Amino acid sequence: MTSKPSPKPASKLFTKLSSVLPDPAPWRSSADFRLLWVQGLVTYFSSFMALIALPLQVKELTGSPLAVGAMGAVELVPLVVCGLYGGALADAVDRRKVIVATEAGLGVLALILLLNAVLPSPMLWPLYVVAAGVSALAGLQRPALDSLLARIVPHEQQTAAAALNSLRWQMGAIAGPALAGLVVTYAGHATAYGVTLVGFAVSVLLCRRLSPAPPAHDAEKPSLRGIAEGARYAWSRPVLLGTYAIDLAAMFFAFPNTIFPFLADELDAEWSLGLMYAAGSVGSLVLGLTSGWTSRVRRHGLLVVCGAAGWGLAIAAAGWFSNVWLVLLCLGFAGAGDMLSGLGRATIWNQTIPEELRGRLAGIEVLSYSVGPQLGQVRAGAMAGWTGTRAAVWTGGVACVASVGLLCLALPKLLTYDAEKDEDALRHKARQQARGEERAGAGREAPA
């Protein structure tokens, strides 16, 4: 009797790497996911051209920091209002149509920026109008995009899909601004807006190839009552409520990006400002590239809690240390913690929320991850003026960890969430499997 040959060292290494690298299962199993992934990458890179060029153009036209800062004010209200309405809209109409229409609208806004930039004397007011319009269209689109993921990716692959999408975002967040800065500096605003326009044109063509995503046959028209129904559902589910509350608390207490210029000055390292802004994305990218293990996790509530607490601890350490390299390292760890928490949140959302409410809950998600950072920047700035920059950073990190702990005590079901035992997750999985069987049966019955 011959013994089986032992695995080759190269085979063992490949097995170990495949268990750590991002799980490509959603890419293999869903053509729609592949389309959305590529479309998102194109959109991120092209959008960063406008995101960098727009405030720089306002700065050139006015020379006023207040005028640049005012762009955030004109963007917030449209994002909140249209995010909530967009959630109701995503439950009432074909989500593919919403995505295509809003991408086309964003392309039109890019065209307005391009035409304004080539004028002999570019005007200021169109820049604010476009900024508000982009925020409104993003609010309308994001719930449709987010709610589509639960439909096109199998239930057990949701964590892997969230990791791949986060990886795509981090690639854009690191390379996009660098490329955009070069284009704006050496080719001008008009070229940057032209690249943005081309990117949205390509994105529209990709989105048109998506499969239809019609609403339920008994879906109601978008209304305040429908939005309120989604809010009541979220409030009645402690696990969902915990994901929103922890994300809001983490961003409110420990989002110090707005005071990074002052932190760099205090550390006598003005050269490090760009690295401070990029460090979090680098940390997220590293975790994304080694996220294969997260596909085997069932306790996604623990991912949310540990990631948010890790984010807070790392931010606190960044404010405590006086060595700039240690500060940058801490910011990188903070980005990894934020990524881990985000994977847990996205998985819980996509594994538990009913299809008929998915859009409205995605609208609430838009608020949880957009309003938190906005308010966090206000808190950080006000705190820095009162206690000093480094104190504002480390106290915010400590407050983040404390708030995460208190929320765990108030909402213990988040910690005990198990994807294989939670009733909402099991119900959603059964519904998705039933829809898959119906589609397969319809395919077999179709005439050749």
Side-chain angles (χ1 to χ4, degrees), residues 292-318:
W293 61 274
T294 60
S295 295
R296 299 183 291 276
V297 172
R298 302 184 323 187
R299 303 282 298 278
H300 302 107
L302 279 177
L303 291 185
V304 175
V305 171
C306 293
W311 158 270
L313 284 172
I315 292 296

Side-chain angles (χ1 to χ4, degrees), residues 63-247:
S64 168
L66 181 61
V68 176
M71 294 190 69
V74 303
E75 291 170 347
L76 183 58
V77 173
L79 180 63
V80 171
V81 174
C82 293
L84 289 173
Y85 180 78
L89 188 67
D91 285 334
V93 301
D94 190 317
R95 291 167 187 169
R96 182 187 66 169
K97 292 181 179 179
V98 175
I99 296 168
V100 172
T102 49
E103 283 292 290
L106 290 167
V108 171
L109 293 178
L111 177 61
I112 293 173
L113 290 175
L114 174 59
L115 294 176
N116 184 61
V118 298
L119 292 175
S121 298
M123 296 179 288
L124 178 62
W125 65 265
L127 305 184
Y128 289 101
V129 172
V130 168
V134 168
S135 187
L137 288 174
L140 290 173
Q141 183 191 78
R142 191 61 184 263
L145 273 173
D146 288 351
S147 59
L148 193 59
L149 193 64
R151 176 178 288 196
I152 64 176
V153 175
H155 181 87
E156 64 278 3
Q157 296 176 10
Q158 290 298 329
T159 305
L164 290 173
N165 279 344
S166 295
L167 188 61
R168 175 192 64 184
W169 160 251
Q170 299 306 332
M171 290 166 59
I174 294 171
L179 181 61
L182 291 174
V183 170
V184 173
T185 301
Y186 294 103
H189 298 97
T191 302
Y193 297 143
V195 172
T196 303
L197 177 59
V198 172
F200 281 121
V202 173
S203 178
V204 168
L205 294 176
L206 290 172
C207 290
R208 284 176 59 87
R209 296 178 58 191
L210 291 169
S211 302
H217 67 278
D218 56 349
E220 299 180 1
K221 293 181 179 180
S223 64
L224 289 176
R225 186 180 68 176
I227 295 172
E229 181 184 359
R232 284 195 298 270
Y233 178 86
W235 186 262
S236 69
R237 296 299 189 272
V239 174
L240 286 178
L241 195 60
T243 63
Y244 299 139
I246 283 183
D247 187 37

Side-chain angles (χ1 to χ4, degrees), residues 421-437:
K421 296 179 181 179
D422 183 81
E423 292 182 1
D424 290 328
L426 293 174
R427 190 180 302 114
H428 185 275
K429 183 177 182 179
R431 288 180 178 179
Q432 189 182 56
Q433 290 174 342
R435 286 196 301 270
E437 292 172 359

